[in-house]
PDB file of all heavy atoms in Angstrom:
ATOM      1  N   ARG A  87     -15.135  -2.655 -15.360  1.00 94.00           N
ATOM      2  CA  ARG A  87     -15.104  -3.181 -13.992  1.00 94.00           C
ATOM      3  C   ARG A  87     -16.024  -4.380 -13.830  1.00 94.00           C
ATOM      4  O   ARG A  87     -15.740  -5.295 -13.081  1.00 94.00           O
ATOM      5  CB  ARG A  87     -15.514  -2.091 -13.010  1.00 94.00           C
ATOM      6  CG  ARG A  87     -14.368  -1.548 -12.237  1.00 94.00           C
ATOM      7  CD  ARG A  87     -14.725  -0.743 -11.042  1.00 94.00           C
ATOM      8  NE  ARG A  87     -15.869   0.100 -11.086  1.00 94.00           N
ATOM      9  CZ  ARG A  87     -15.873   1.375 -11.471  1.00 94.00           C
ATOM     10  NH1 ARG A  87     -14.759   1.931 -11.901  1.00 94.00           N
ATOM     11  NH2 ARG A  87     -16.963   2.078 -11.452  1.00 94.00           N
ATOM     12  N   ARG A  90     -14.051  -7.364 -15.407  1.00 94.00           N
ATOM     13  CA  ARG A  90     -12.862  -7.848 -14.707  1.00 94.00           C
ATOM     14  C   ARG A  90     -13.293  -8.708 -13.529  1.00 94.00           C
ATOM     15  O   ARG A  90     -14.168  -8.323 -12.768  1.00 94.00           O
ATOM     16  CB  ARG A  90     -12.021  -6.676 -14.188  1.00 94.00           C
ATOM     17  CG  ARG A  90     -11.254  -5.972 -15.265  1.00 94.00           C
ATOM     18  CD  ARG A  90     -10.116  -5.171 -14.682  1.00 94.00           C
ATOM     19  NE  ARG A  90     -10.585  -4.049 -13.898  1.00 94.00           N
ATOM     20  CZ  ARG A  90     -10.673  -2.800 -14.351  1.00 94.00           C
ATOM     21  NH1 ARG A  90     -10.318  -2.520 -15.580  1.00 94.00           N
ATOM     22  NH2 ARG A  90     -11.099  -1.843 -13.571  1.00 94.00           N
ATOM     23  N   ASP A 100       4.073 -11.306  -8.073  1.00 90.00           N
ATOM     24  CA  ASP A 100       4.483 -11.405  -6.670  1.00 90.00           C
ATOM     25  C   ASP A 100       3.283 -11.657  -5.762  1.00 90.00           C
ATOM     26  O   ASP A 100       2.520 -10.760  -5.459  1.00 90.00           O
ATOM     27  CB  ASP A 100       5.192 -10.107  -6.264  1.00 90.00           C
ATOM     28  CG  ASP A 100       5.734 -10.202  -4.847  1.00 90.00           C
ATOM     29  OD1 ASP A 100       5.285 -11.087  -4.096  1.00 90.00           O
ATOM     30  OD2 ASP A 100       6.592  -9.387  -4.497  1.00 90.00           O
ATOM     31  N   SER A 103       2.892  -9.383  -2.360  1.00 90.00           N
ATOM     32  CA  SER A 103       2.468  -7.986  -2.456  1.00 90.00           C
ATOM     33  C   SER A 103       1.132  -7.855  -3.184  1.00 90.00           C
ATOM     34  O   SER A 103       0.518  -6.799  -3.150  1.00 90.00           O
ATOM     35  CB  SER A 103       3.550  -7.145  -3.127  1.00 90.00           C
ATOM     36  OG  SER A 103       3.741  -7.559  -4.449  1.00 90.00           O
ATOM     37  N   SER A 104       0.665  -8.918  -3.849  1.00 94.00           N
ATOM     38  CA  SER A 104      -0.628  -8.837  -4.527  1.00 94.00           C
ATOM     39  C   SER A 104      -1.801  -9.078  -3.589  1.00 94.00           C
ATOM     40  O   SER A 104      -2.949  -8.945  -3.990  1.00 94.00           O
ATOM     41  CB  SER A 104      -0.705  -9.845  -5.676  1.00 94.00           C
ATOM     42  OG  SER A 104       0.287  -9.567  -6.626  1.00 94.00           O
ATOM     43  N   ASN A 106      -3.768  -8.154   0.033  1.00 93.00           N
ATOM     44  CA  ASN A 106      -3.896  -7.087   1.018  1.00 93.00           C
ATOM     45  C   ASN A 106      -3.452  -7.621   2.379  1.00 93.00           C
ATOM     46  O   ASN A 106      -4.067  -8.545   2.903  1.00 93.00           O
ATOM     47  CB  ASN A 106      -5.359  -6.631   1.064  1.00 93.00           C
ATOM     48  CG  ASN A 106      -5.573  -5.460   2.001  1.00 93.00           C
ATOM     49  OD1 ASN A 106      -4.746  -5.182   2.864  1.00 93.00           O
ATOM     50  ND2 ASN A 106      -6.675  -4.768   1.827  1.00 93.00           N
ATOM     51  N   PRO A 107      -2.390  -7.035   2.959  1.00 90.00           N
ATOM     52  CA  PRO A 107      -1.841  -7.616   4.186  1.00 90.00           C
ATOM     53  C   PRO A 107      -2.767  -7.552   5.399  1.00 90.00           C
ATOM     54  O   PRO A 107      -2.588  -8.316   6.338  1.00 90.00           O
ATOM     55  CB  PRO A 107      -0.570  -6.795   4.440  1.00 90.00           C
ATOM     56  CG  PRO A 107      -0.710  -5.563   3.628  1.00 90.00           C
ATOM     57  CD  PRO A 107      -1.597  -5.903   2.474  1.00 90.00           C
ATOM     58  N   VAL A 108      -3.741  -6.654   5.393  1.00 89.00           N
ATOM     59  CA  VAL A 108      -4.541  -6.487   6.615  1.00 89.00           C
ATOM     60  C   VAL A 108      -5.931  -7.116   6.522  1.00 89.00           C
ATOM     61  O   VAL A 108      -6.753  -6.911   7.399  1.00 89.00           O
ATOM     62  CB  VAL A 108      -4.685  -4.996   7.006  1.00 89.00           C
ATOM     63  CG1 VAL A 108      -3.322  -4.364   7.215  1.00 89.00           C
ATOM     64  CG2 VAL A 108      -5.468  -4.218   5.968  1.00 89.00           C
ATOM     65  N   GLU A 117     -14.776 -11.566  -1.419  1.00 93.00           N
ATOM     66  CA  GLU A 117     -15.010 -10.240  -1.992  1.00 93.00           C
ATOM     67  C   GLU A 117     -15.344 -10.327  -3.492  1.00 93.00           C
ATOM     68  O   GLU A 117     -16.260  -9.675  -3.983  1.00 93.00           O
ATOM     69  CB  GLU A 117     -13.744  -9.405  -1.777  1.00 93.00           C
ATOM     70  CG  GLU A 117     -13.764  -8.012  -2.357  1.00 93.00           C
ATOM     71  CD  GLU A 117     -12.485  -7.265  -1.974  1.00 93.00           C
ATOM     72  OE1 GLU A 117     -11.419  -7.517  -2.571  1.00 93.00           O
ATOM     73  OE2 GLU A 117     -12.555  -6.445  -1.066  1.00 93.00           O
ATOM     74  N   ARG A 121     -18.876  -9.579  -5.308  1.00 92.00           N
ATOM     75  CA  ARG A 121     -18.868  -8.482  -6.273  1.00 92.00           C
ATOM     76  C   ARG A 121     -19.661  -8.849  -7.526  1.00 92.00           C
ATOM     77  O   ARG A 121     -20.392  -8.054  -8.075  1.00 92.00           O
ATOM     78  CB  ARG A 121     -17.421  -8.158  -6.640  1.00 92.00           C
ATOM     79  CG  ARG A 121     -17.227  -7.267  -7.859  1.00 92.00           C
ATOM     80  CD  ARG A 121     -17.760  -5.879  -7.576  1.00 92.00           C
ATOM     81  NE  ARG A 121     -17.501  -4.974  -8.677  1.00 92.00           N
ATOM     82  CZ  ARG A 121     -18.334  -4.765  -9.677  1.00 92.00           C
ATOM     83  NH1 ARG A 121     -19.461  -5.441  -9.747  1.00 92.00           N
ATOM     84  NH2 ARG A 121     -18.034  -3.910 -10.630  1.00 92.00           N
ATOM     85  N   HIS A 122     -19.493 -10.091  -7.987  1.00 92.00           N
ATOM     86  CA  HIS A 122     -20.047 -10.424  -9.300  1.00 92.00           C
ATOM     87  C   HIS A 122     -21.286 -11.297  -9.247  1.00 92.00           C
ATOM     88  O   HIS A 122     -21.921 -11.525 -10.260  1.00 92.00           O
ATOM     89  CB  HIS A 122     -18.969 -11.087 -10.160  1.00 92.00           C
ATOM     90  CG  HIS A 122     -17.831 -10.164 -10.487  1.00 92.00           C
ATOM     91  ND1 HIS A 122     -17.981  -9.076 -11.314  1.00 92.00           N
ATOM     92  CD2 HIS A 122     -16.551 -10.145 -10.076  1.00 92.00           C
ATOM     93  CE1 HIS A 122     -16.820  -8.429 -11.404  1.00 92.00           C
ATOM     94  NE2 HIS A 122     -15.939  -9.055 -10.664  1.00 92.00           N
ATOM     95  N   HIS A 155       0.448 -12.988   5.508  1.00 89.00           N
ATOM     96  CA  HIS A 155       1.795 -13.299   5.996  1.00 89.00           C
ATOM     97  C   HIS A 155       1.878 -14.667   6.654  1.00 89.00           C
ATOM     98  O   HIS A 155       2.960 -15.190   6.867  1.00 89.00           O
ATOM     99  CB  HIS A 155       2.262 -12.215   6.970  1.00 89.00           C
ATOM    100  CG  HIS A 155       1.574 -12.256   8.296  1.00 89.00           C
ATOM    101  ND1 HIS A 155       0.433 -11.517   8.552  1.00 89.00           N
ATOM    102  CD2 HIS A 155       1.831 -12.954   9.421  1.00 89.00           C
ATOM    103  CE1 HIS A 155       0.035 -11.779   9.788  1.00 89.00           C
ATOM    104  NE2 HIS A 155       0.855 -12.633  10.341  1.00 89.00           N
ATOM    105  N   LEU A 157       0.707 -17.367   5.311  1.00 91.00           N
ATOM    106  CA  LEU A 157       0.751 -18.396   4.277  1.00 91.00           C
ATOM    107  C   LEU A 157       2.135 -18.445   3.643  1.00 91.00           C
ATOM    108  O   LEU A 157       2.848 -17.440   3.612  1.00 91.00           O
ATOM    109  CB  LEU A 157      -0.280 -18.073   3.186  1.00 91.00           C
ATOM    110  CG  LEU A 157      -1.682 -18.654   3.354  1.00 91.00           C
ATOM    111  CD1 LEU A 157      -2.290 -18.200   4.649  1.00 91.00           C
ATOM    112  CD2 LEU A 157      -2.553 -18.233   2.183  1.00 91.00           C
ATOM    113  N   SER A 158       2.492 -19.592   3.102  1.00 89.00           N
ATOM    114  CA  SER A 158       3.743 -19.693   2.361  1.00 89.00           C
ATOM    115  C   SER A 158       3.547 -19.084   0.975  1.00 89.00           C
ATOM    116  O   SER A 158       2.426 -18.848   0.538  1.00 89.00           O
ATOM    117  CB  SER A 158       4.136 -21.155   2.227  1.00 89.00           C
ATOM    118  OG  SER A 158       3.230 -21.803   1.355  1.00 89.00           O
ATOM    119  N   GLY A 159       4.667 -18.827   0.286  1.00 88.00           N
ATOM    120  CA  GLY A 159       4.602 -18.203  -1.039  1.00 88.00           C
ATOM    121  C   GLY A 159       3.715 -18.970  -2.012  1.00 88.00           C
ATOM    122  O   GLY A 159       2.895 -18.400  -2.725  1.00 88.00           O
ATOM    123  N   GLY A 160       3.867 -20.296  -2.022  1.00 89.00           N
ATOM    124  CA  GLY A 160       3.064 -21.106  -2.924  1.00 89.00           C
ATOM    125  C   GLY A 160       1.581 -21.040  -2.572  1.00 89.00           C
ATOM    126  O   GLY A 160       0.721 -20.940  -3.449  1.00 89.00           O
ATOM    127  N   ALA A 186       8.403 -15.396  -8.741  1.00 84.00           N
ATOM    128  CA  ALA A 186       8.815 -15.075  -7.368  1.00 84.00           C
ATOM    129  C   ALA A 186       8.863 -16.306  -6.464  1.00 84.00           C
ATOM    130  O   ALA A 186       9.040 -16.179  -5.266  1.00 84.00           O
ATOM    131  CB  ALA A 186       7.872 -14.023  -6.781  1.00 84.00           C
ATOM    132  N   ASP A 188       9.993 -20.469  -5.381  1.00 84.00           N
ATOM    133  CA  ASP A 188      11.026 -21.496  -5.433  1.00 84.00           C
ATOM    134  C   ASP A 188      10.777 -22.446  -6.590  1.00 84.00           C
ATOM    135  O   ASP A 188       9.640 -22.669  -6.983  1.00 84.00           O
ATOM    136  CB  ASP A 188      10.941 -22.342  -4.154  1.00 84.00           C
ATOM    137  CG  ASP A 188      11.947 -21.894  -3.140  1.00 84.00           C
ATOM    138  OD1 ASP A 188      12.747 -20.999  -3.474  1.00 84.00           O
ATOM    139  OD2 ASP A 188      11.933 -22.431  -2.020  1.00 84.00           O
ATOM    140  N   ILE A 191       8.206 -25.200  -6.045  1.00 87.00           N
ATOM    141  CA  ILE A 191       6.858 -24.652  -5.944  1.00 87.00           C
ATOM    142  C   ILE A 191       6.385 -24.206  -7.327  1.00 87.00           C
ATOM    143  O   ILE A 191       5.210 -24.359  -7.674  1.00 87.00           O
ATOM    144  CB  ILE A 191       6.822 -23.448  -4.982  1.00 87.00           C
ATOM    145  CG1 ILE A 191       7.573 -23.751  -3.706  1.00 87.00           C
ATOM    146  CG2 ILE A 191       5.398 -23.021  -4.695  1.00 87.00           C
ATOM    147  CD1 ILE A 191       6.933 -24.773  -2.828  1.00 87.00           C
TER     148      ILE A 191
ATOM    149  N   ALA B  26       8.743  -7.459  -0.356  1.00 41.00           N
ATOM    150  CA  ALA B  26       8.477  -8.185  -1.590  1.00 41.00           C
ATOM    151  C   ALA B  26       9.752  -8.902  -2.030  1.00 41.00           C
ATOM    152  O   ALA B  26      10.829  -8.692  -1.485  1.00 41.00           O
ATOM    153  CB  ALA B  26       8.005  -7.222  -2.660  1.00 41.00           C
ATOM    154  N   GLY B  27       9.614  -9.742  -3.029  1.00 40.00           N
ATOM    155  CA  GLY B  27      10.787 -10.359  -3.595  1.00 40.00           C
ATOM    156  C   GLY B  27      11.331 -11.493  -2.747  1.00 40.00           C
ATOM    157  O   GLY B  27      12.416 -11.991  -2.977  1.00 40.00           O
ATOM    158  N   THR B  28      10.576 -11.903  -1.770  1.00 40.00           N
ATOM    159  CA  THR B  28      11.018 -13.045  -0.991  1.00 40.00           C
ATOM    160  C   THR B  28      10.725 -14.312  -1.779  1.00 40.00           C
ATOM    161  O   THR B  28       9.697 -14.424  -2.420  1.00 40.00           O
ATOM    162  CB  THR B  28      10.309 -13.096   0.377  1.00 40.00           C
ATOM    163  OG1 THR B  28      10.457 -14.396   0.906  1.00 40.00           O
ATOM    164  CG2 THR B  28       8.835 -12.780   0.252  1.00 40.00           C
ATOM    165  N   VAL B  29      11.650 -15.230  -1.787  1.00 38.00           N
ATOM    166  CA  VAL B  29      11.416 -16.448  -2.544  1.00 38.00           C
ATOM    167  C   VAL B  29      11.249 -17.655  -1.635  1.00 38.00           C
ATOM    168  O   VAL B  29      10.951 -18.731  -2.091  1.00 38.00           O
ATOM    169  CB  VAL B  29      12.550 -16.748  -3.549  1.00 38.00           C
ATOM    170  CG1 VAL B  29      12.427 -15.841  -4.745  1.00 38.00           C
ATOM    171  CG2 VAL B  29      13.901 -16.610  -2.915  1.00 38.00           C
ATOM    172  N   ASP B  31       9.637 -20.310   0.655  1.00 46.00           N
ATOM    173  CA  ASP B  31       8.260 -20.770   0.687  1.00 46.00           C
ATOM    174  C   ASP B  31       7.801 -21.020   2.111  1.00 46.00           C
ATOM    175  O   ASP B  31       7.312 -22.081   2.453  1.00 46.00           O
ATOM    176  CB  ASP B  31       8.085 -22.026  -0.159  1.00 46.00           C
ATOM    177  CG  ASP B  31       6.617 -22.231  -0.485  1.00 46.00           C
ATOM    178  OD1 ASP B  31       5.981 -21.268  -0.928  1.00 46.00           O
ATOM    179  OD2 ASP B  31       6.111 -23.341  -0.268  1.00 46.00           O
ATOM    180  N   GLY B  33       5.781 -19.111   5.587  1.00 54.00           N
ATOM    181  CA  GLY B  33       4.987 -17.973   5.997  1.00 54.00           C
ATOM    182  C   GLY B  33       5.912 -16.958   6.629  1.00 54.00           C
ATOM    183  O   GLY B  33       6.897 -17.298   7.266  1.00 54.00           O
ATOM    184  N   GLY B  34       5.588 -15.683   6.467  1.00 59.00           N
ATOM    185  CA  GLY B  34       6.446 -14.647   7.011  1.00 59.00           C
ATOM    186  C   GLY B  34       5.899 -14.136   8.319  1.00 59.00           C
ATOM    187  O   GLY B  34       5.082 -14.760   8.966  1.00 59.00           O
ATOM    188  N   SER B  36       4.142 -10.767  10.203  1.00 67.00           N
ATOM    189  CA  SER B  36       3.409  -9.578   9.802  1.00 67.00           C
ATOM    190  C   SER B  36       4.185  -8.353  10.222  1.00 67.00           C
ATOM    191  O   SER B  36       5.087  -8.411  11.045  1.00 67.00           O
ATOM    192  CB  SER B  36       2.028  -9.558  10.446  1.00 67.00           C
ATOM    193  OG  SER B  36       2.132  -9.128  11.777  1.00 67.00           O
ATOM    194  N   ASP B 212       0.776  -3.165  -5.502  1.00 93.00           N
ATOM    195  CA  ASP B 212       0.380  -4.383  -6.208  1.00 93.00           C
ATOM    196  C   ASP B 212      -0.984  -4.883  -5.770  1.00 93.00           C
ATOM    197  O   ASP B 212      -1.763  -5.365  -6.582  1.00 93.00           O
ATOM    198  CB  ASP B 212       1.407  -5.494  -5.943  1.00 93.00           C
ATOM    199  CG  ASP B 212       2.686  -5.258  -6.721  1.00 93.00           C
ATOM    200  OD1 ASP B 212       2.724  -4.286  -7.497  1.00 93.00           O
ATOM    201  OD2 ASP B 212       3.638  -6.032  -6.557  1.00 93.00           O
ATOM    202  N   HIS B 213      -1.263  -4.804  -4.461  1.00 94.00           N
ATOM    203  CA  HIS B 213      -2.523  -5.423  -4.030  1.00 94.00           C
ATOM    204  C   HIS B 213      -3.727  -4.594  -4.448  1.00 94.00           C
ATOM    205  O   HIS B 213      -4.807  -5.147  -4.660  1.00 94.00           O
ATOM    206  CB  HIS B 213      -2.522  -5.747  -2.527  1.00 94.00           C
ATOM    207  CG  HIS B 213      -2.516  -4.565  -1.627  1.00 94.00           C
ATOM    208  ND1 HIS B 213      -3.667  -3.958  -1.207  1.00 94.00           N
ATOM    209  CD2 HIS B 213      -1.503  -3.873  -1.076  1.00 94.00           C
ATOM    210  CE1 HIS B 213      -3.346  -2.954  -0.419  1.00 94.00           C
ATOM    211  NE2 HIS B 213      -2.036  -2.875  -0.330  1.00 94.00           N
ATOM    212  N   ALA B 216      -4.164  -5.682  -7.992  1.00 95.00           N
ATOM    213  CA  ALA B 216      -4.779  -7.007  -8.025  1.00 95.00           C
ATOM    214  C   ALA B 216      -6.273  -6.919  -7.718  1.00 95.00           C
ATOM    215  O   ALA B 216      -7.083  -7.609  -8.343  1.00 95.00           O
ATOM    216  CB  ALA B 216      -4.082  -7.936  -7.030  1.00 95.00           C
ATOM    217  N   ARG B 218      -8.166  -4.323  -8.303  1.00 94.00           N
ATOM    218  CA  ARG B 218      -8.816  -3.734  -9.489  1.00 94.00           C
ATOM    219  C   ARG B 218      -8.973  -4.782 -10.585  1.00 94.00           C
ATOM    220  O   ARG B 218      -9.962  -4.794 -11.316  1.00 94.00           O
ATOM    221  CB  ARG B 218      -7.996  -2.552 -10.003  1.00 94.00           C
ATOM    222  CG  ARG B 218      -8.055  -1.336  -9.093  1.00 94.00           C
ATOM    223  CD  ARG B 218      -7.123  -0.244  -9.570  1.00 94.00           C
ATOM    224  NE  ARG B 218      -7.453   0.186 -10.923  1.00 94.00           N
ATOM    225  CZ  ARG B 218      -6.553   0.581 -11.821  1.00 94.00           C
ATOM    226  NH1 ARG B 218      -5.276   0.612 -11.522  1.00 94.00           N
ATOM    227  NH2 ARG B 218      -6.942   0.948 -13.016  1.00 94.00           N
ATOM    228  N   LEU B 220      -9.769  -7.663 -10.232  1.00 95.00           N
ATOM    229  CA  LEU B 220     -10.914  -8.520  -9.908  1.00 95.00           C
ATOM    230  C   LEU B 220     -12.216  -7.743 -10.029  1.00 95.00           C
ATOM    231  O   LEU B 220     -13.282  -8.259  -9.723  1.00 95.00           O
ATOM    232  CB  LEU B 220     -10.771  -9.060  -8.487  1.00 95.00           C
ATOM    233  CG  LEU B 220      -9.598 -10.012  -8.281  1.00 95.00           C
ATOM    234  CD1 LEU B 220      -9.335 -10.229  -6.812  1.00 95.00           C
ATOM    235  CD2 LEU B 220      -9.857 -11.338  -8.979  1.00 95.00           C
ATOM    236  N   GLY B 221     -12.146  -6.493 -10.442  1.00 93.00           N
ATOM    237  CA  GLY B 221     -13.361  -5.705 -10.624  1.00 93.00           C
ATOM    238  C   GLY B 221     -13.903  -5.117  -9.335  1.00 93.00           C
ATOM    239  O   GLY B 221     -15.034  -4.633  -9.314  1.00 93.00           O
ATOM    240  N   PRO B 224     -14.510   0.873  -6.677  1.00 91.00           N
ATOM    241  CA  PRO B 224     -13.562   1.872  -6.160  1.00 91.00           C
ATOM    242  C   PRO B 224     -13.797   2.220  -4.697  1.00 91.00           C
ATOM    243  O   PRO B 224     -12.847   2.398  -3.939  1.00 91.00           O
ATOM    244  CB  PRO B 224     -13.816   3.095  -7.046  1.00 91.00           C
ATOM    245  CG  PRO B 224     -14.411   2.554  -8.297  1.00 91.00           C
ATOM    246  CD  PRO B 224     -15.161   1.309  -7.922  1.00 91.00           C
ATOM    247  N   ARG B 230     -11.295  -0.610   2.021  1.00 92.00           N
ATOM    248  CA  ARG B 230     -10.765  -1.870   2.514  1.00 92.00           C
ATOM    249  C   ARG B 230      -9.298  -2.078   2.139  1.00 92.00           C
ATOM    250  O   ARG B 230      -8.550  -2.701   2.877  1.00 92.00           O
ATOM    251  CB  ARG B 230     -11.600  -3.029   1.956  1.00 92.00           C
ATOM    252  CG  ARG B 230     -11.155  -4.381   2.496  1.00 92.00           C
ATOM    253  CD  ARG B 230     -11.961  -5.511   1.920  1.00 92.00           C
ATOM    254  NE  ARG B 230     -13.250  -5.656   2.561  1.00 92.00           N
ATOM    255  CZ  ARG B 230     -14.211  -6.463   2.094  1.00 92.00           C
ATOM    256  NH1 ARG B 230     -14.012  -7.149   0.991  1.00 92.00           N
ATOM    257  NH2 ARG B 230     -15.354  -6.561   2.718  1.00 92.00           N
ATOM    258  N   HIS B 231      -8.910  -1.567   0.976  1.00 92.00           N
ATOM    259  CA  HIS B 231      -7.560  -1.888   0.513  1.00 92.00           C
ATOM    260  C   HIS B 231      -6.568  -0.747   0.693  1.00 92.00           C
ATOM    261  O   HIS B 231      -5.393  -0.981   0.927  1.00 92.00           O
ATOM    262  CB  HIS B 231      -7.594  -2.315  -0.951  1.00 92.00           C
ATOM    263  CG  HIS B 231      -8.365  -3.582  -1.172  1.00 92.00           C
ATOM    264  ND1 HIS B 231      -7.794  -4.823  -1.074  1.00 92.00           N
ATOM    265  CD2 HIS B 231      -9.674  -3.799  -1.431  1.00 92.00           C
ATOM    266  CE1 HIS B 231      -8.708  -5.750  -1.282  1.00 92.00           C
ATOM    267  NE2 HIS B 231      -9.868  -5.160  -1.499  1.00 92.00           N
ATOM    268  N   ASN B 235      -4.314   0.165   5.071  1.00 90.00           N
ATOM    269  CA  ASN B 235      -2.878   0.004   4.872  1.00 90.00           C
ATOM    270  C   ASN B 235      -2.128   1.323   4.951  1.00 90.00           C
ATOM    271  O   ASN B 235      -0.902   1.341   4.881  1.00 90.00           O
ATOM    272  CB  ASN B 235      -2.615  -0.661   3.519  1.00 90.00           C
ATOM    273  CG  ASN B 235      -2.906  -2.141   3.564  1.00 90.00           C
ATOM    274  OD1 ASN B 235      -2.259  -2.883   4.275  1.00 90.00           O
ATOM    275  ND2 ASN B 235      -3.934  -2.564   2.839  1.00 90.00           N
TER     276      ASN B 235
END
Side-chain angles (χ1 to χ4, degrees):
Chain A
R87 254 195 323 270
R90 285 199 292 262
D100 184 342
S103 64
S104 299
N106 184 342
V108 302
E117 177 176 77
R121 167 67 176 91
H122 295 292
H155 72 268
L157 269 58
S158 69
D188 262 355
I191 314 291
Chain B
T28 163
V29 284
D31 198 49
S36 79
D212 285 356
H213 68 88
R218 289 174 59 214
L220 294 166
R230 183 181 281 170
H231 296 273
N235 284 296

